[in-house]
Amino acid sequence: MLITSADILALPQFSQQECQKLNAERREIRRQLRQPYTQEQGKQLQAREQELLRLLKAHCRQPVKVPPAIEPTAA
């Protein structure tokens, strides 16, 4: 599957607050990876770090100041 830059820009962007939260979690994982850990813990930390990087690259290129309002659905 090929993703172009236009596809990435079309993805909904997270709020600045959400992007900061993801970055903080990524920094905490990096800190934990500098500490002793088991092989299984290392795999889990690295997998989560990769997921965070994917989210940041896709949804935090141009974070919005205020997240879009969620409109209620008709019942």
Side-chain angles (χ1 to χ4, degrees):
M1 180 160 103
L2 181 63
I3 298 177
T4 64
S5 60
D7 293 332
I8 291 172
L9 293 176
L11 294 174
Q13 294 296 290
F14 291 162
S15 69
Q16 289 175 341
Q17 181 180 5
E18 182 66 20
C19 292
Q20 289 171 348
K21 184 175 153 186
L22 292 174
N23 264 318
E25 184 179 349
R26 185 184 59 82
R27 285 191 303 270
E28 175 59 22
I29 288 173
R30 295 301 305 159
R31 186 193 66 74
Q32 290 177 23
L33 285 169
R34 290 190 296 271
Q35 304 298 317
Y37 52 83
T38 66
Q39 184 176 6
E40 185 59 34
Q41 288 170 328
K43 286 180 185 179
Q44 290 173 356
L45 289 169
Q46 289 172 351
R48 181 60 182 158
E49 181 184 28
Q50 290 301 311
E51 176 65 11
L52 288 169
L53 287 171
R54 186 190 67 74
L55 288 170
L56 287 164
K57 286 180 181 180
H59 300 283
C60 291
R61 288 190 181 274
Q62 295 178 328
V64 294
K65 290 186 183 213
V66 179
I70 299 173
E71 297 192 22
T73 57

